[in-house]
């Protein structure tokens, strides 16, 4: 939520910042702004809307040359999206400018205090309060800006990643973080700062992940990091492995489509080096030191949000089927406030694409405080969740830029499948021959996903028919129940059509009342242990004249005779079906959203990385 970029070095700062903001736009696109410092002083330019609108606004100015600058793309928390609430914000004297990603929870108290001292506020944001609070400390204590920031950070409650420019130190950026991500790119005589590495990768692959409660003072050729207790730290410089093309559209109209099509590769990448069916080798590196805890856990608790929570539901079926350990799947936002019963025998798995989701992070901290072992399944390398957990495995899906999660979902399920099989085998719950069968089948999944992608033309035709529907129902059972939830979420978040996912058998307990000839119902009815039951549910919908779109196993003839449309996917083991059956649902949502003229990569009101609770 909110993307921040900053630069100090020899280059023109503005193009670096604008390009960076475009890469970070997935984090929020309510407004965008930059602050630049040159002979004319410290100037802020900001605009409601996307970075392209800021660019158009900047075209009307001359003399924007500057070797230092900060930029922000906003997902509104305090105050509506408009020019005034856009970042950066000036301090009262306009000597400092600040960008902020996060939420200051005690901003109202600070604001009242400052107002009593005569400070005037122009925006409704907590961030304007934050920078004015820093300036107030700076004035009252007659100290350096760095010291003022340090003192302020002891007083603010909440989450932040901030970068500040100071007219009196025209070559210096001051940055700090707690709870919101901040990456420093280390170049030759230049530094980059950003909410993630995507704006940086083009210039350098050397990065430092700033830790919570650290303050960095950055000059063209000098970087110093201290804790807020004023203790100098010696940061580790990481080498990024990300390639530039991974964060570009590569000829596709949208990132979402590109990411859907990347799934055969991303699933294979996730399994690469971990699975070798011919030798029976299955290694989940992150588990090595915790296998004992995992095997002997009395309970597995999975916590996540959104699509990652759906991947957690699939994992519940996987772990219970293969490892016979009871599993609970928890919305992180509920779990963190529920005073859950937890102890050191619980194994908690936190799933997150971004690795920054505030609720998931808080759930991890809670579980840690109760002594549980926490294992992270994250996509973004070096992310906060990846660093907050005891151990973990990366999904290796590569950067996911489209706000709607697609390849991250299948990569999460892939890692969780590997974990479930490993655990089941180690616990003696899967016989050797069956284990080998499963490993061999798992290796075929990327190829089968490739075949599912060939259904695209058929899905375009179905999308054309239903693009104006006002509601959709998605129904599935067993492993396909979470797929139904995911299909509905994909459709609603990018096309703004109301969609609900349900376990197919629950339909008769309420949703069936919605069914008439206007209602498209998507069944995920692959040949599995609940197939016959789902077929009965299809009959029930047909009897009420609902329109039936069914995802079935290749060669199915029963459903063909009942459904208005059948989408045939390759057959596989029941436990691996979600990896394939979700693909046509992703494509259907994508095409419907495009046909309705929606911005599929940046749906309204959403942000990719939800760093507020
Ligand atoms: O980064 P995370 O996986 O923790 O994010 C969780 C959700 O915000 C995310 O999955 C969201 O539901 C997606 N936009 C769904 O497509």
């Amino acid at each position: 939520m909110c993307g921040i970029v900053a630069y100090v070095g020899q280059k023109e700062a503005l193009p670096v910042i604008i390009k960076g903001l475009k890469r970070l736009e997935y984090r929020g696109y309510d407004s965008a702004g930059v602050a630049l410092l040159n002979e004319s002083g410290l100037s802020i330019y900001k605009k409601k809307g996307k970075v392209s609108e800021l660019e158009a606004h900047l075209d009307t100015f001359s003399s924007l040359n500057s070797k230092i600058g900060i930029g922000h793309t906003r997902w509104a928390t305090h105050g509506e999206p408009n020019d005034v609430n856009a970042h950066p914000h000036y301090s009262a004297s306009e000597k400092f400018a600040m960008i902020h990603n996060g939420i200051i929870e005690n901003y109202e108290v600070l604001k009242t205090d400052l107002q009593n001292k005569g400070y005037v506020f122009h925006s409704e944001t907590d961030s304007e309060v934050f920078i004015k609070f820093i300036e107030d400390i700076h004035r009252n204590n007659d100290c350096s800006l760095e010291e003022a920031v340090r003192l302020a950070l002891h007083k603010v409650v909440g989450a932040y990643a901030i970068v500040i420019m100071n007219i009196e130190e025209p070559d210096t950026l001051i940055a700090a973080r707690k709870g919101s991500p901040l990456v420093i790119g280390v170049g030759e005589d230049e530094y980059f700062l950003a909410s993630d590495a995507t704006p940086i990768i083009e210039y350098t692959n050397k990065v430092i992940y700033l830790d919570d409660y650290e303050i960095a003072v950055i000059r063209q050729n000098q970087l110093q990091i201290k804790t807020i207790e004023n203790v100098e730290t010696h940061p580790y410089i990481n080498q990024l492995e990300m390639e530039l093309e991974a964060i570009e559209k590569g000829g596709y109209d949208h990132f979402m489509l590109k990411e859907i099509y990347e799934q055969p590769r991303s699933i294979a990448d996730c399994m690469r080096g971990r699975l070798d069916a011919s030798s029976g080798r299955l290694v989940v590196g992150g588990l090595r030191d915790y296998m004992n805890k995992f095997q002997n856990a009395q309970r597995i608790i999975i916590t996540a949000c959104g699509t990652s929570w759906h991947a957690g539901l699939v994992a519940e079926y996987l772990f219970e089927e293969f490892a016979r350990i009871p599993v609970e799947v928890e919305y992180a936002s509920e779990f963190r406030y529920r005073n859950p019963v937890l102890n050191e025998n619980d194994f908690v798995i936190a799933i997150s694409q971004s690795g920054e989701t505030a609720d998931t992070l808080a759930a991890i901290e809670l579980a840690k405080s109760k002594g549980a072992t926490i294992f992270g399944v994250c996509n973004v390398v070096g992310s906060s969740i990846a660093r907050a957990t005891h151990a973990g495995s990366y999904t290796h899906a590569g950067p996911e830029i489209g706000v709607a999660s697609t390849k991250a979902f299948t990569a999460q399920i892939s890692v969780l499948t590997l974990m479930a099989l490993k655990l089941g085998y180690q616990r003696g719950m899967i016989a050797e021959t069956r284990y080998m069968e499963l490993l061999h089948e798992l290796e075929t999944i990327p190829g089968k996903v490739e075949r599912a992608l060939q259904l695209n033309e058929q899905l375009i035709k179905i999308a054309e028919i239903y693009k104006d529907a006002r509601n959709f129902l998605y129904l599935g059972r067993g492993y396909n129940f979470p797929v139904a939830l995911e299909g509905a979420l994909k459709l609603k978040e990018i096309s703004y059509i109301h969609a609900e996912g349900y376990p197919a058998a629950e339909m008769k307990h309420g949703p069936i009342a919605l069914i008439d000839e206007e209602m498209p119902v998507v069944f995920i009815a692959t040949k599995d242990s609940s197939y016959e039951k789902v077929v009965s549910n299809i009959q029930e919908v047909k009897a009420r004249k609902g329109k039936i779109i069914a995802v079935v196993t290749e060669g199915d003839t029963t459903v063909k005779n009942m459904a208005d449309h059948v989408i045939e996917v390759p057959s596989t083991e029941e436990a691996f079906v979600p990896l394939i059956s979700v693909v046509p649902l992703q494509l259907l949502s994508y095409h419907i959203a495009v046909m309705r003229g929606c911005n599929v990569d940046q749906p309204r009101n959403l942000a990719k990385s939800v760093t507020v609770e």
Side-chain angles (χ1 to χ4, degrees):
M1 265 168 187
C2 297
I4 63 182
V5 188
Y7 174 78
V8 57
Q10 313 283 355
K11 296 185 174 61
E12 276 306 321
L14 186 60
V16 175
I17 293 169
I18 292 290
K19 207 174 204 183
L21 290 180
K22 286 187 176 167
R23 295 214 197 285
L24 291 182
E25 219 169 18
Y26 71 87
R27 301 177 67 88
Y29 27 85
D30 289 331
S31 63
V34 294
L36 300 168
L37 218 171
N38 55 26
E39 313 74 57
S40 339
L42 175 59
S43 312
I44 290 180
Y45 309 87
K46 49 193 193 174
K47 209 71 202 140
K48 177 183 173 188
K50 303 232 153 123
V51 179
S52 54
E53 281 161 67
L54 172 69
E55 265 189 302
H57 174 61
L58 289 169
D59 281 347
T60 61
F61 295 90
S62 53
S63 136
L64 293 171
N65 51 315
S66 171
K67 308 289 182 206
I68 184 166
I70 57 180
H72 187 272
T73 175
R74 177 169 186 247
W75 186 85
T77 56
H78 296 69
E80 63 173 280
N82 61 25
D83 293 357
V84 180
N85 289 332
H87 294 219
H89 290 285
Y90 277 125
S91 64
S93 67
E94 301 199 350
K95 284 184 180 167
F96 310 145
M98 183 175 88
I99 46 175
H100 170 217
N101 168 28
I103 285 191
I104 301 307
E105 288 164 17
N106 59 339
Y107 85 103
E108 282 187 20
V109 181
L110 300 175
K111 188 172 182 174
T112 311
D113 257 16
L114 291 168
Q115 279 169 328
N116 290 339
K117 291 181 181 174
Y119 283 84
V120 174
F121 291 88
H122 307 289
S123 75
E124 301 154 87
T125 64
D126 53 340
S127 313
E128 187 187 359
V129 176
F130 199 171
I131 186 62
K132 288 187 170 161
F133 179 57
I134 292 171
E135 180 160 70
D136 188 58
I137 293 177
H138 179 65
R139 281 178 180 160
N140 294 339
N141 294 276
D142 193 22
C143 60
S144 66
L145 177 59
E146 180 194 343
E147 180 63 4
V149 169
R150 204 175 69 73
L151 295 172
L153 297 187
H154 278 281
K155 300 257 167 63
V156 295
V157 179
Y160 53 79
I162 53 169
V163 188
I164 306 175
M165 282 165 73
N166 176 2
I167 202 164
E168 283 165 359
E169 288 183 85
D171 65 339
T172 308
L173 295 170
I174 297 187
R177 77 156 267 182
K178 185 206 149 202
S180 302
L182 198 51
V183 186
I184 303 174
V186 183
E188 289 280 325
D189 289 339
E190 59 181 356
Y191 289 96
F192 306 80
L193 288 117
S195 302
D196 72 28
T198 56
I200 297 173
I201 186 68
E202 185 164 351
Y203 310 102
T204 175
N205 62 359
K206 291 190 197 138
V207 296
I208 295 166
Y209 296 100
L210 206 64
D211 270 324
D212 278 353
Y213 301 111
E214 283 186 341
I215 303 174
V217 178
I218 304 154
R219 299 192 176 85
Q220 226 177 71
N221 46 17
Q222 192 195 338
L223 166 71
Q224 187 182 48
I225 300 180
K226 289 183 181 171
T227 65
I228 63 166
E229 304 307 336
N230 218 7
V231 179
E232 189 160 353
T233 63
H234 300 284
Y236 176 72
I237 299 187
N238 297 264
Q239 295 284 333
L240 281 179
E241 280 170 22
M242 193 190 293
E243 300 290 338
L244 187 58
E245 58 264 30
I247 54 170
E248 291 181 337
K249 279 195 203 139
Y252 286 89
D253 288 343
H254 298 97
F255 280 111
M256 182 180 175
L257 190 61
K258 176 185 175 225
E259 288 156 7
I260 292 173
Y261 271 88
E262 278 174 348
Q263 290 176 108
R265 184 202 50 74
S266 54
I267 296 172
D269 283 352
C270 175
M271 295 181 192
R272 182 162 302 119
R274 291 172 170 157
L275 172 65
D276 176 21
S278 57
S279 62
R281 185 172 171 274
L282 201 178
V283 183
V284 183
L287 272 178
R288 204 169 290 125
D289 295 340
Y290 286 87
M291 203 58 210
N292 214 20
K293 280 257 175 202
F294 197 25
Q295 255 179 266
N296 296 309
Q298 67 184 16
R299 226 171 22 149
I300 296 171
I301 295 167
I302 299 177
T303 187
C305 303
T307 289
S308 299
W309 184 78
H310 296 159
L313 287 181
V314 175
E316 179 177 26
Y317 287 87
L318 289 163
F319 286 125
E320 292 198 341
E321 175 175 349
F322 293 121
R324 308 302 301 146
I325 296 181
V327 180
E328 285 168 32
V329 187
E330 303 272 0
Y331 281 119
S333 53
E334 290 298 315
F335 183 69
R336 63 181 290 193
Y337 287 119
R338 219 191 48 224
N339 194 11
V341 181
L342 270 169
N343 62 40
E344 61 282 358
N345 298 320
D346 291 323
F347 194 88
V348 175
I349 302 175
I351 309 172
S352 175
Q353 186 287 130
S354 63
E356 302 294 346
T357 301
D359 284 322
T360 310
L361 258 171
I364 290 169
E365 293 309 333
L366 174 77
K368 250 187 186 172
S369 73
K370 308 244 179 197
T373 302
I374 326 288
F375 191 88
V377 174
C378 292
N379 192 35
V380 176
V381 176
S383 56
S384 301
I385 292 177
R387 288 181 300 141
T389 42
H390 293 115
S393 286
Y394 285 118
T395 50
H396 298 308
E400 191 182 64
I401 315 275
V403 164
S405 195
T406 52
K407 65 173 178 173
F409 177 69
T410 46
Q412 288 165 344
I413 296 177
S414 303
V415 171
L416 293 159
T417 305
L418 295 174
M419 288 171 66
L421 293 178
K422 180 82 189 171
L423 184 63
Y425 185 64
Q426 295 274 116
R427 280 170 57 84
M429 298 294 167
I430 316 175
E432 182 76 28
T433 45
R434 176 75 182 128
Y435 182 64
M436 291 306 289
E437 244 172 56
L438 288 163
L439 297 193
H440 278 285
E441 180 58 23
L442 199 51
E443 275 190 345
T444 69
I445 295 295
K448 291 183 175 174
V449 170
E450 190 80 64
R451 274 165 54 202
L453 288 166
Q454 288 162 15
L455 297 162
N456 191 43
E457 289 306 313
Q458 189 193 353
L459 288 155
I460 292 175
K461 289 187 186 127
I462 300 175
E464 192 60 61
I465 300 169
Y466 296 103
K467 65 178 190 307
D468 298 318
R470 298 186 57 212
N471 299 288
F472 261 78
L473 210 52
Y474 284 74
L475 301 174
R477 289 188 81 154
Y479 282 97
N480 279 324
F481 160 53
V483 176
L485 294 181
E486 178 60 8
L489 176 61
K490 280 303 78 97
L491 186 70
K492 72 183 123 187
E493 72 177 323
I494 61 168
S495 72
Y496 320 140
I497 295 175
H498 171 244
E500 299 220 32
Y502 262 91
E506 275 295 300
M507 180 183 64
K508 56 188 169 296
H509 299 290
I512 199 163
L514 296 168
I515 292 168
D516 60 17
E517 60 280 4
E518 303 276 291
M519 175 67 97
V521 184
V522 179
F523 276 96
I524 306 105
T526 49
K527 280 261 169 63
D528 56 29
S529 51
S530 45
Y531 174 74
E532 303 297 339
K533 311 270 180 215
V534 177
V535 169
S536 306
N537 300 139
I538 294 177
Q539 294 282 21
E540 289 154 15
V541 170
K542 192 177 167 61
R544 286 154 185 88
K545 300 195 166 49
K547 297 281 177 287
I548 297 159
I549 303 163
V551 176
V552 299
T553 306
E554 275 172 357
D556 184 302
T557 48
T558 314
V559 178
K560 208 175 223 160
N561 296 328
M562 298 177 217
D564 296 272
H565 313 272
V566 289
I567 302 157
E568 297 185 46
V569 294
S571 74
T572 184
E573 283 286 342
E574 181 165 353
F576 307 157
V577 165
L579 289 165
I580 301 172
S581 59
V582 76
V583 174
L585 306 189
Q586 296 167 340
L587 285 169
L588 182 65
S589 309
Y590 170 79
H591 290 300
I592 289 179
V594 171
M595 287 170 194
R596 288 166 68 91
C598 300
N599 184 342
V600 290
D601 282 339
Q602 295 171 348
R604 70 184 179 206
N605 305 338
L606 284 171
K608 181 95 186 138
S609 174
V610 185
T611 54
V612 295
E613 63 170 290

